[in-house]
Amino acid sequence: MNISVFGLGYVGCVSLGCLAKQGHQVIGVDVNLQKVELINNGKPTIIEKDIAELIIEQHLNKRISATTDFKLAIDNSDISIICVGTPLKDDGKLSMEYINRVSVNIADALINKNSFHTIVVRSTIIPGTAKNISNIIEKISGKTLNKDFTIVINPEFLREGTSIFDYFNPPLTIIGYNNDKGGNLISSLYNNLPGKILMIDVEVAEIMKYVNNTFHALKVSFANEVGNICKSANIDSQQVMDILCQDKKLNISSYYLKPGFAYGGSCLPKDLKAFQSFAKENGQIPHVINSISKTNIDQIKKAIELINSFEKQNICFLGLSFKEGTDDLRNSPTIKVLDYFISKKYNIKVCDKNVEISKLTGTNKNYIESEIPKISKLIESDIEEAVNQSDLIVICNKEEIFIDVLLNVFNKPIVDLVYLSEKLRNRDNYFGLSW
């Protein structure tokens, strides 16, 4: 394919060489004449492992060239990949100056072009950028989105020092699209590479780079805080974190990494506080670790605000224990939510078969009677009847028995705090806490 790459910095230079290596004819575009001349002389614009060999190889194969003439590049390509920088401004927001400038240039070049053109954004951009680019192009060129051109979001996850390897060995490839022709075309660029290709919504693709890098920053900071605490207590932090990383079932997995309700139970709250106290005793102030419980409290507050927004007095809560399959009520975030609505004199019904059974058999009876006597009196055994007699349903844990009942509820709002089931989404009466 004929491809133009706008921006010959780090991402642009790597993309230029790697696309050519895959057999494509690639034109680099940059306002910096020195960068253009480097490429045209078979030299890279950056210092990076294996990049010099790659650029000279593809230069000799006559698959790469560079120019400052954006119209020439557009006229001689079917795909344009935007790789310009998005630096931070003084206020901490991204500067979209270069993105907007390239969008104007592409729009000018498309005025007299009759064939369909696919524009790919590889730059790190904020959500809403694709929409902004399409508006600029439509206004200037007179062309129509998804008729004459389309925008595809294809974020890069290249690490400096290993970018060539990363390009050819992606863990997955993200294609954010709203036009099948453009989406499938860009997807085909990666068909011969390992890793799953995810065809997703444009807005999801736009935010993924930020989510990924923020998570990486969180991991670095968390590991460093653990390291500082361990060192202060003369404990081998490298061994500690090595063991942590060996658990692929819970620690390095997706198990705790899905939006939902606040954590609870007997372990997480207690052990977090104990670890914070241990750190303090050893003269450490772990800011990331100390903020965890604050975020958890905020999630409970968000749940209360969401439920309150419906202004319904008769509420049925499905689930009381801190998670499904247990009667453990210790530190259950649902209890904190219920306490609020009981204090405000709402009419409350609660359904939780596990808590109901333990109340009858005595396994958790003492805790129920001594710690939450008001709530225990609100427990109902007939879920369908409780739901029918309420004006608002709140899902508080993931008991599967709730799904069949709620699939038949259409005339009253359902607030889901835990993401019970995909089957309930995309309904007018369904409202998720963080989704």
Side-chain angles (χ1 to χ4, degrees):
M1 280 186 274
N2 296 319
I3 303 171
S4 53
V5 175
F6 283 75
L8 291 174
Y10 185 84
V11 176
C13 185
V14 172
S15 299
L16 181 87
C18 291
L19 286 165
K21 180 76 172 178
Q22 291 175 284
H24 304 290
Q25 200 68 37
V26 191
I27 307 172
V29 188
D30 204 292
V31 295
N32 187 318
L33 184 59
Q34 183 180 5
K35 290 182 179 181
V36 170
E37 290 176 345
L38 282 171
I39 295 297
N40 285 333
N41 286 310
K43 298 179 181 180
T45 62
I46 60 171
I47 302 297
E48 174 71 12
K49 184 178 184 295
D50 299 327
I51 191 68
E53 295 84 353
L54 181 61
I55 294 298
I56 187 60
E57 175 189 75
Q58 297 312 311
H59 173 70
L60 293 174
N61 288 336
K62 301 187 185 303
R63 289 202 186 107
I64 62 173
S65 62
T67 181
T68 58
D69 189 338
F70 56 86
K71 290 186 178 180
L72 175 69
I74 293 288
D75 288 340
N76 289 278
S77 61
D78 303 305
I79 300 170
S80 292
I81 302 179
I82 299 176
C83 297
V84 298
T86 51
L88 282 180
K89 297 188 292 185
D90 292 340
D91 61 2
K93 296 180 180 179
L94 281 189
S95 170
M96 304 304 289
E97 177 186 356
Y98 303 125
I99 291 282
N100 292 337
R101 188 183 301 170
V102 168
S103 301
V104 170
N105 290 342
I106 292 175
D108 284 336
L110 289 179
I111 292 174
N112 296 316
K113 186 168 184 176
N114 296 321
S115 58
F116 188 85
H117 203 78
T118 300
I119 300 156
V120 182
V121 183
R122 291 276 275 171
S123 301
T124 302
I125 43 87
I126 55 176
T129 298
K131 185 177 181 180
N132 183 56
I133 292 174
S134 63
N135 288 340
I136 290 172
I137 293 175
E138 283 189 321
K139 182 178 180 180
I140 294 174
S141 70
K143 304 291 186 178
T144 302
L145 178 66
N146 295 330
K147 177 185 176 184
D148 304 305
F149 73 96
T150 193
I151 311 291
V152 175
I153 305 299
N154 176 219
E156 53 80 20
F157 301 99
L158 307 175
R159 297 168 297 171
E160 293 188 42
T162 60
S163 61
I164 307 299
F165 176 85
D166 290 344
Y167 182 95
F168 289 111
N169 297 274
L172 52 84
T173 297
I174 293 175
I175 308 290
Y177 75 111
N178 53 25
N179 173 272
D180 289 340
K181 183 177 180 179
N184 292 334
L185 181 65
I186 303 310
S187 175
S188 70
L189 297 177
Y190 302 99
N191 282 343
N192 295 324
L193 299 182
K196 187 176 182 180
I197 296 176
L198 301 180
M199 307 292 288
I200 60 177
D201 292 340
V202 167
E203 292 79 8
V204 175
E206 287 178 318
I207 203 171
M208 283 312 304
K209 183 70 179 286
Y210 294 106
V211 174
N212 279 28
N213 282 350
T214 300
F215 184 48
H216 298 328
L218 172 64
K219 289 183 289 185
V220 170
S221 297
F222 175 78
N224 287 339
E225 288 189 351
V226 170
N228 293 335
I229 294 169
C230 288
K231 183 177 181 179
S232 68
N234 199 29
I235 297 169
D236 186 345
S237 63
Q238 294 295 338
Q239 187 177 6
V240 167
M241 292 308 294
D242 181 62
I243 293 170
L244 179 88
C245 293
Q246 289 183 45
D247 180 354
K248 301 296 195 295
K249 184 177 180 180
L250 295 179
N251 292 347
I252 311 298
S253 74
S254 62
Y255 189 78
Y256 290 112
L257 281 173
K258 299 292 178 65
F261 199 19
Y263 61 76
S266 60
C267 296
L268 299 190
K270 175 181 70 68
D271 293 350
L272 173 61
K273 288 181 180 178
F275 194 45
Q276 288 173 297
S277 296
F278 182 75
K280 186 176 182 180
E281 289 169 4
N282 285 277
Q284 301 300 309
I285 305 175
H287 298 289
V288 170
I289 293 171
N290 286 344
S291 69
I292 294 172
S293 59
K294 297 176 183 177
T295 299
N296 204 54
I297 292 170
D298 283 345
Q299 195 71 348
I300 295 173
K301 291 178 180 178
K302 288 180 185 300
I304 292 173
E305 290 171 1
L306 177 59
I307 297 168
N308 250 334
S309 68
F310 292 93
E311 299 182 343
K312 303 292 185 181
Q313 286 295 311
N314 302 312
I315 307 175
C316 176
F317 288 84
L318 301 182
L320 181 56
S321 58
F322 84 98
K323 70 175 182 178
E324 70 281 359
T326 178
D327 68 337
D328 196 346
L329 299 173
R330 288 171 292 182
N331 296 299
S332 171
T334 303
I335 291 178
K336 294 181 174 62
V337 174
L338 284 168
D339 282 339
Y340 171 86
F341 286 101
I342 290 172
S343 70
K344 299 297 181 181
K345 309 300 182 183
Y346 282 72
N347 299 318
I348 304 297
K349 297 181 184 298
V350 180
C351 297
D352 191 316
K353 64 176 183 179
N354 294 310
V355 176
E356 183 183 7
I357 291 171
S358 68
K359 179 182 176 183
L360 295 174
T361 60
T363 57
N364 206 13
K365 187 176 182 179
N366 290 336
Y367 181 87
I368 294 171
E369 291 180 347
S370 62
E371 300 297 328
I372 55 167
K374 292 182 180 179
I375 295 175
S376 68
K377 296 176 183 178
L378 304 175
I379 297 176
E380 303 277 349
S381 58
D382 192 322
I383 298 176
E384 291 190 12
E385 184 177 348
V387 167
N388 290 334
Q389 292 177 357
S390 302
D391 300 318
L392 173 65
I393 315 301
V394 181
I395 308 168
C396 301
N397 68 33
K398 292 187 176 184
E399 291 290 350
E400 290 191 8
I401 193 174
F402 300 150
I403 299 174
D404 290 337
V405 175
L406 295 176
L407 285 174
N408 296 314
V409 176
F410 298 98
N411 61 345
K412 58 189 70 176
I414 297 172
V415 171
D416 189 351
L417 304 182
V418 296
Y419 196 61
L420 175 62
S421 172
E422 182 74 23
K423 296 177 182 178
L424 296 173
R425 292 193 69 175
N426 301 318
R427 293 166 45 155
D428 291 340
N429 67 324
Y430 175 89
F431 304 88
L433 176 57
S434 300
W435 55 93

